[in-house]
Amino acid sequence: MSQPESLARLVDELQRLPGIGPKGAQRLAFHILRTPRDEANRLCEAILDVKERVTYCSVCHNITDIDPCVFCRDEARDRRLICVVEEPQNVASVEKTRDFRGVYHVLMGALSPLHGIGPDELKIRDLLTRVQAGGVEEIILATNPTVEGEATAMYLARLLKPLGVRVTRIATGVPVGSDLEYADEVTMHKAMEGRREM
Amino acid sequence: MSQPESLARLVDELQRLPGIGPKGAQRLAFHILRTPRDEANRLCEAILDVKERVTYCSVCHNITDIDPCVFCRDEARDRRLICVVEEPQNVASVEKTRDFRGVYHVLMGALSPLHGIGPDELKIRDLLTRVQAGGVEEIILATNPTVEGEATAMYLARLLKPLGVRVTRIATGVPVGSDLEYADEVTMHKAMEGRREM
C-alpha cells in the first residue's frame, strides 16, 4: 500500500466514470491533489448542482433547469415538426445545424431486447399522446444509425403513420469531409442506395 | 443555448481536468446526470477528502495521510538507499517492481529553466541535508528519461558525489515486450550504449 487511503479512494471513484481507466483515474487524482482548493470545491459544487437542478421536461423529456424546457417554452419554434432523438445529448447535435426550428422528443434510449429495453422503457407513449393531441405534421426520426436506432425508427414509423403524420428518417451515408477509403461497407451501401439526382 | 445552465457549468469545470476535452467533458457530465445521487456524493466526498487529508511527508516529500509517510515510518526499509524521483506518482512505479527496499526522496519536479524551475524550486536542499546527516550509502537517480530528467540527474550527481555517496542512474533502453521496429533512435542509441555482457 504505497498510496494514502483517501487518494486510493478518489482513484477508485474516478474509475467508475465512463472512458476513465486506472491510469487516467490516477492522473486525474494527482491533478486534483495539486489543484487549488477552491477549484476542487467548484467542481464538486457543479456536480451536486447538476444533480440538484437538472430535471426532465414534462413535454419532450429533454433535460432542463426549468420545466417545460427552452424548446417547448419557445413560442417561435414550430410545433408542427417534432424531431425524435434517443438521448438528451442528441438534441445538441441537431441544434448545431442551426436550421431546425421545430421541437423535440427524447426517447431516453433505443429499443434493445437484448438489454431488456422494450417500448415501455422508452418515452414512446408520450410521443403518441403528443401526436394524437393534434397539430403535428411531420415527425423526423433522428435516432442513431445503429441496429438499435434503426429498429426503433422502424417501430415508431409503424406506430405513427396510421395517425396521419408524415414520418421521415435522417439520411445515412458517407460523412462530409471523410475519405471513401475509410467508409465501411454498410455506410457505403447506404450512401449508394440513398444517392440523389444532381 | 440548448443546455441547462448548471450542466453547461459542469461541462466547463470538467474540461479543466487534464486529458478531458469538450466531448469527454460532455460525456462525463451526462453520465453524472444519470448516475444515482449517492454515487455523485461519494465522488465529491472523495475529492474533498483528498484535499483535506493528503499532505506531504516532511522527510521525503511523498504524499501521505500521516506524516512521516509509510516508507519513512517503516523500520524494515533500508535507509542507506534513497531513490530520487520527480513526482509522488513515480514512487508507485518504483514500488511496482517489488524489490526496492530503500526509501524515497521526491523532488516535486525536474529542472526546467524554460519554465522557471531552478534548483530552489525543487526539494534538492532537503535531499542534501538527508545525505549530510549521514548513513546514506547510495542514491539512485530515478528521474524521468527526458531532457529535464537527465539534466536534473546530472545536476544532482555533481552535488552528491562530493558528499561521498555512491550515485547511480536507472538504465535507459528498449522497453521489455516492445518491438525494435518502434524504438526511436535516441532510445536505440541508449540501448546500444548501455549494452551488457551476456
Side-chain angles (χ1 to χ4, degrees):
Chain A
M1 240 303 294
S2 69
Q3 270 187 354
E5 198 208 307
S6 54
L7 190 72
R9 225 185 56 234
L10 177 57
V11 170
D12 211 56
E13 290 295 334
L14 289 169
Q15 265 191 74
R16 292 169 192 273
L17 299 174
I20 295 184
K23 290 249 173 185
Q26 190 85 20
R27 197 167 44 138
L28 284 177
F30 274 104
H31 171 86
I32 289 168
L33 194 62
R34 270 194 307 264
T35 226
R37 182 62 161 270
D38 63 315
E39 203 167 304
N41 285 344
R42 275 213 314 278
L43 174 61
C44 286
E45 268 167 37
I47 290 172
L48 298 175
D49 232 41
V50 154
K51 301 303 292 180
E52 188 73 46
R53 295 202 195 171
V54 178
T55 58
Y56 296 96
C57 174
S58 56
V59 180
C60 73
H61 301 288
N62 187 15
I63 49 165
T64 180
D65 279 341
I66 307 155
D67 183 26
C69 74
V70 272
F71 305 112
C72 294
R73 275 201 314 270
D74 188 349
E75 290 296 327
R77 311 270 319 195
D78 189 350
R79 279 162 178 68
R80 292 170 298 181
L81 192 56
I82 297 180
C83 179
V84 177
V85 294
E86 292 181 19
E87 303 284 351
Q89 55 266 48
N90 301 143
V91 168
S93 308
V94 179
E95 280 298 296
K96 266 195 300 203
T97 66
R98 289 169 183 274
D99 53 30
F100 177 70
R101 295 301 301 158
V103 290
Y104 291 94
H105 191 86
V106 181
L107 295 173
M108 300 308 272
L111 293 177
S112 177
L114 274 178
H115 298 94
I117 300 173
D120 291 339
E121 272 69 48
L122 305 179
K123 304 296 181 188
I124 292 178
R125 195 162 310 160
D126 290 8
L127 176 60
L128 297 180
T129 312
R130 282 177 81 179
V131 175
Q132 280 156 348
V136 179
E137 288 173 10
E138 181 178 350
I139 305 268
I140 302 174
L141 299 174
T143 52
N144 290 329
T146 57
V147 174
E148 289 83 4
E150 293 293 349
T152 309
M154 282 203 290
Y155 179 85
L156 288 176
R158 254 209 325 264
L159 282 181
L160 291 165
K161 275 183 180 168
L163 302 179
V165 284
R166 190 178 163 213
V167 180
T168 55
R169 176 86 177 107
I170 52 165
T172 35
V174 285
V176 176
S178 68
D179 192 316
L180 289 197
E181 195 181 336
Y182 303 113
D184 63 285
E185 58 203 59
V186 185
T187 300
M188 202 59 218
H189 175 78
K190 292 272 187 187
M192 297 291 279
E193 200 180 57
R195 68 190 179 278
R196 302 200 299 185
E197 209 72 56
M198 285 195 61
Chain B
M1 240 302 294
S2 69
Q3 270 187 351
E5 197 208 307
S6 53
L7 190 72
R9 224 184 58 233
L10 177 57
V11 170
D12 210 57
E13 290 295 335
L14 289 168
Q15 264 190 73
R16 292 169 192 273
L17 299 174
I20 295 185
K23 290 250 174 185
Q26 190 85 16
R27 198 166 43 137
L28 284 177
F30 274 103
H31 171 86
I32 288 168
L33 196 60
R34 270 193 307 263
T35 227
R37 181 60 159 273
D38 63 315
E39 202 166 306
N41 285 345
R42 275 213 315 279
L43 174 60
C44 286
E45 268 166 37
I47 290 172
L48 298 176
D49 233 41
V50 154
K51 300 304 292 180
E52 188 73 46
R53 295 203 197 169
V54 178
T55 57
Y56 296 96
C57 174
S58 56
V59 180
C60 73
H61 301 289
N62 187 15
I63 48 164
T64 181
D65 278 341
I66 307 155
D67 184 25
C69 74
V70 272
F71 305 112
C72 294
R73 275 199 316 271
D74 188 349
E75 290 296 327
R77 310 266 324 190
D78 188 351
R79 279 162 178 68
R80 291 169 300 182
L81 191 57
I82 298 180
C83 177
V84 177
V85 294
E86 292 181 19
E87 302 284 350
Q89 55 265 48
N90 301 143
V91 168
S93 308
V94 179
E95 279 300 296
K96 267 195 299 202
T97 66
R98 289 168 183 275
D99 52 30
F100 177 70
R101 297 300 303 158
V103 290
Y104 292 95
H105 192 86
V106 181
L107 295 173
M108 301 306 274
L111 293 176
S112 177
L114 274 177
H115 298 94
I117 300 172
D120 291 340
E121 274 69 48
L122 304 179
K123 304 297 180 188
I124 291 178
R125 194 161 311 159
D126 291 7
L127 176 61
L128 297 180
T129 312
R130 283 177 81 178
V131 175
Q132 280 157 346
V136 179
E137 288 173 10
E138 181 180 350
I139 306 269
I140 302 174
L141 298 174
T143 51
N144 290 327
T146 56
V147 174
E148 288 85 3
E150 293 294 349
T152 310
M154 282 202 291
Y155 179 85
L156 288 177
R158 255 210 324 262
L159 282 182
L160 292 165
K161 274 182 182 168
L163 302 179
V165 284
R166 188 176 165 216
V167 181
T168 56
R169 176 85 177 108
I170 52 165
T172 35
V174 285
V176 177
S178 68
D179 191 317
L180 288 196
E181 195 182 338
Y182 303 114
D184 63 285
E185 58 204 60
V186 185
T187 301
M188 202 58 219
H189 174 78
K190 291 273 187 186
M192 295 291 279
E193 199 180 57
R195 68 189 180 279
R196 301 202 298 188
E197 210 72 55
M198 286 193 64

